[in-house]
Amino acid sequence: MKPIVHRTPLITSETTNKIVDKKVYFKMENQQKTGAFKFRGATFKLMQLSNEQLEKGVITASAGNHAQGVAYASRKLGVKATIYMPKQTPHSKIEATQNYGAEVVLTGSSFQEAYEASMVRQKETGATYVHPFDDYDVMAGQGTIAMEMLRQEDRIDTFLVPIGGGGLISGIAVAAKHVNKNIRIIGVQAERIPAAYNSYHHIRPTQPLRADTIAEGIAVKNPGELTLPLIKKYVDDIVTVTEEEIASAILYMLERNKTLMEGAGAAALAALFAHNDYIKSRHCGVIVSGGNFDIDKIPLIQQLANKHSA
């Protein structure tokens, strides 16, 4: 994947190190092509397909970043891509996906509904389905992040990783534990939609999961059938963060490091601040998974962050 995928920077911040009293390394996947890590998994998946499969095109469903990853990887490899997106997907993500040359179909109010509609179309066309997370090739592509980070800083002893469907953390956990089985992997979910957290901790939710989170990139109602067993086997713990904690992390990174993270991309940093006493690490790797932020939401982020600091 080297000629296609960026080797993103690993940055540190003295201010952050002082606040949490540990060395923190941010993996800047918000600077990856298409603005998120998803380009890695999509590229690796497409590279595994035969010419016959590539000719039939690819299809997927996504709330945004996977859509752009598949669209751009498809353009790079000269493949037709069709992408189903929920109707409330931020306009910037829809436009970016179309600009990469994919056909976008807006349908349903959630990822699940868009996914179901895309499966119907897939059966009609015979295109290869590129699942956002529940695919071993996609997971392997995301796992290259851990390999890169450990080459950039071999002392990392803990990874903090956002979880939606679980493709990113599955790839990272398997890759990191392959290098050193003592590395700790901690997953992070939005408190409003903690499907993987509930499954991992054997919690039966007492109320329906809410998809209205500023971390829409990890708003997934069901972890993957392939990812969940890997999470249970290789992930050491999963924690949750509130909307206010995520918003504060976005503003913190913007003010201190002049870097824009989207909600899902801020989840791991939010967890570092919220659960710092519990995270026993000297060299902590934080995955900044994406930076495709809808600028219109800045007032909401400020409002939530103010609540958190009040």
Side-chain angles (χ1 to χ4, degrees):
M1 301 208 307
K2 255 186 188 168
I4 302 177
V5 173
H6 280 323
R7 185 179 196 237
T8 51
L10 192 71
I11 69 164
T12 59
S13 146
E14 281 307 317
T15 310
T16 311
N17 293 350
K18 278 185 186 141
I19 291 170
V20 298
D21 194 27
K22 46 179 69 81
K23 282 268 191 186
V24 181
Y25 307 91
F26 297 100
K27 184 58 166 166
M28 306 304 282
E29 284 297 295
N30 57 335
Q31 294 178 30
Q32 184 55 260
K33 290 176 184 177
T34 73
F37 76 94
K38 293 280 191 179
F39 181 60
R40 292 176 184 263
T43 300
F44 190 72
K45 173 67 178 177
L46 265 61
M47 288 172 110
Q48 310 311 306
L49 301 182
S50 67
N51 288 337
E52 190 186 345
Q53 287 172 308
L54 292 171
E55 275 167 28
K56 286 185 177 174
V58 295
I59 187 167
T60 193
S62 168
N65 288 335
H66 178 66
Q68 291 174 64
V70 171
Y72 191 42
S74 298
R75 190 173 85 180
K76 282 278 190 190
L77 297 168
V79 182
K80 176 180 166 25
T82 305
I83 296 163
Y84 279 67
M85 302 174 95
K87 284 177 184 166
Q88 84 280 17
T89 301
H91 183 69
S92 57
K93 292 186 178 183
I94 297 166
E95 204 175 304
T97 306
Q98 289 170 328
N99 289 343
Y100 290 129
E103 178 197 344
V104 171
V105 181
L106 294 175
T107 184
S109 62
S110 66
F111 164 75
Q112 197 58 36
E113 288 174 17
Y115 171 67
E116 283 161 14
S118 68
M119 291 302 286
V120 173
R121 174 87 172 262
Q122 189 273 330
K123 286 189 175 71
E124 293 165 0
T125 61
T128 296
Y129 203 89
V130 182
H131 197 282
F133 49 83
D134 219 20
D135 181 298
Y136 291 125
D137 290 329
V138 170
M139 292 180 227
Q142 322 305 20
T144 59
I145 294 171
M147 305 307 275
E148 260 179 42
M149 287 175 76
L150 291 166
R151 284 196 193 102
Q152 289 165 307
E153 176 48 74
D154 62 6
R155 291 175 298 175
I156 292 173
D157 56 35
T158 305
F159 285 86
L160 282 174
V161 190
I163 306 182
L168 174 63
I169 199 166
S170 296
I172 283 178
V174 170
K177 299 271 187 183
H178 174 72
V179 174
N180 176 356
K181 66 181 190 308
N182 296 318
I183 290 173
R184 280 178 61 75
I185 310 291
I186 301 172
V188 184
Q189 287 218 288
E191 192 179 76
R192 286 187 172 180
I193 184 159
Y197 173 87
N198 289 344
S199 295
Y200 186 90
H201 292 290
H202 309 290
I203 294 167
R204 285 200 170 168
T206 51
Q207 53 202 43
L209 299 181
R210 295 170 60 177
D212 60 328
T213 169
I214 55 170
E216 78 279 341
I218 52 173
V220 178
K221 288 185 177 175
N222 298 299
E225 286 177 24
L226 302 180
T227 59
L228 192 57
L230 291 172
I231 289 168
K232 287 181 171 173
K233 184 173 181 183
Y234 293 104
V235 172
D236 295 285
D237 201 359
I238 300 177
V239 297
T240 62
V241 285
T242 65
E243 298 297 290
E244 292 80 8
E245 286 162 351
I246 295 167
S248 291
I250 292 172
L251 283 194
Y252 173 85
M253 202 68 162
L254 200 51
E255 288 165 0
R256 299 300 166 94
N257 292 316
K258 310 300 173 244
T259 288
L260 186 61
M261 307 186 290
E262 62 186 84
L269 175 58
L272 177 64
F273 287 145
H275 303 280
N276 183 45
D277 293 345
Y278 154 78
I279 297 164
K280 306 296 178 209
S281 167
R282 291 177 66 200
H283 296 273
C284 189
V286 171
I287 312 294
V288 178
S289 58
N292 293 319
F293 183 80
D294 197 344
I295 298 296
D296 296 345
K297 284 187 180 165
I298 284 279
L300 171 63
I301 299 302
Q302 287 175 311
Q303 193 186 339
L304 288 166
N306 290 339
K307 263 196 212 171
H308 182 244
S309 56

